[in-house]
């Protein structure tokens, strides 16, 4: 079985913290791959600043170019809406029977996990790895977390400040060329 971590998010935009976390969790959890699952719309979050799925997907692809064992995945974008993790995991299990899927979520989502659709079924059927987020407790220790938020990046862009140190170079160039978040 190929152990595959599912690291879902809006990635609006994807940043160096996401990539670093995916690398570290892949290694610490003994995963063969981590799929950065670009989510169409989190049912528990508002979508006011959410860019089009394909634009966020393109940024994710640019961010993982050259990364070993980290894949930008548009799988969830093509599933029926709303996007529930339970449905995604069931579809993945059916479509990729050679893989064991591991759910990777932040401490912020873990605190809300009981509100998730089929939370108990997810807990019973899939390994869940919880990682720390600012202001929340996480389950996996010893991670070198880069404290960056996509919200902070969008705010910096609107204020005309540089984001080069926060996102991969190709992503910064794409955001600038496409005039995103301005």
């Amino acid at each position: 079985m190929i152990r595959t971590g599912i690291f879902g998010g809006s990635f609006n935009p994807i940043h160096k913290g996401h990539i670093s976390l995916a690398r570290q969790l892949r290694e610490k959890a003994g995963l063969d791959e981590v799929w950065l699952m670009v989510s169409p719309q989190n049912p528990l979050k508002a979508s006011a600043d959410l860019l089009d799925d394909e634009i966020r997907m393109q940024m994710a692809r640019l961010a993982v170019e050259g990364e070993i064992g980290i894949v930008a995945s548009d799988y969830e974008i093509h599933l029926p809406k709303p996007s529930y993790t339970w449905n995604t995991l069931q579809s993945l299990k059916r479509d990729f029977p050679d893989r064991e899927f591991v759910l990777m979520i932040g401490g912020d989502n873990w605190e809300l996990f009981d509100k998730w659709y089929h939370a108990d079924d997810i807990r019973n059927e899939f390994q869940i790895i919880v990682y720390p987020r600012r202001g929340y407790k996480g389950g996996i220790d010893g991670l070198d977390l880069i404290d960056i938020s996509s919200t902070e990046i969008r705010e910096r862009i609107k204020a005309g400040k540089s984001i080069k140190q926060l996102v991969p170079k190709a992503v910064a160039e794409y955001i600038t060329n496409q005039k995103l978040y301005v």
Side-chain angles (χ1 to χ4, degrees):
M1 284 284 211
I2 302 166
R3 283 179 47 83
T4 306
I6 299 300
F7 181 176
S10 58
F11 302 111
N12 189 37
I14 193 164
H15 54 68
K16 289 181 178 180
H18 293 131
I19 303 301
S20 172
L21 186 58
R23 278 188 206 124
Q24 292 177 74
L25 289 172
R26 180 176 166 257
E27 185 178 314
K28 283 200 175 277
L31 302 170
D32 297 297
E33 287 185 339
V34 170
W35 290 3
L36 299 176
M37 187 76 59
V38 177
S39 176
Q41 174 56 48
N42 179 335
L44 299 176
K45 286 187 178 179
S47 64
D49 290 330
L50 192 64
L51 290 183
D52 181 76
D53 297 344
E54 281 308 314
I55 293 172
R56 292 180 294 114
M57 196 58 229
Q58 180 59 27
M59 287 189 287
R61 285 186 190 106
L62 290 168
V64 301
E65 270 182 20
E67 291 286 340
I68 296 168
I70 302 175
V71 176
S73 173
D74 65 353
Y75 184 87
E76 192 170 50
I77 291 171
H78 302 291
L79 294 177
K81 313 298 184 276
S83 172
Y84 292 110
T85 301
W86 170 250
N87 295 342
T88 300
L89 290 170
Q90 289 303 300
S91 293
L92 285 166
K93 198 166 125 177
R94 180 191 67 239
D95 291 347
F96 300 95
D98 61 331
R99 292 180 181 267
E100 173 192 350
F101 291 100
V102 176
L103 180 61
M104 302 161 58
I105 64 172
D108 53 341
N109 280 312
W110 184 243
E111 282 194 8
L112 299 171
F113 196 75
D114 288 334
K115 295 180 182 178
W116 285 30
Y117 182 69
H118 283 265
D120 288 336
D121 293 325
I122 295 170
R123 270 193 280 264
N124 291 332
E125 248 186 82
F126 298 92
Q127 179 185 356
I128 301 172
I129 297 172
V130 181
Y131 57 85
R133 291 284 307 256
R134 184 189 321 167
Y136 298 91
K137 295 176 183 160
I140 208 165
D141 290 326
L143 298 176
D144 181 21
L145 295 178
I146 299 174
D147 191 16
I148 302 172
S149 80
S150 295
T151 302
E152 170 192 356
I153 293 168
R154 292 191 304 271
E155 288 169 356
R156 289 183 67 83
I157 293 167
K158 284 179 185 156
K161 296 180 179 175
S162 173
I163 59 163
K164 289 181 182 174
Q165 71 280 16
L166 305 175
V167 299
K169 183 179 183 210
V171 173
E173 290 171 356
Y174 183 80
I175 289 170
T176 300
N177 293 340
Q178 298 295 315
K179 297 177 177 54
L180 302 176
Y181 306 111
V182 291

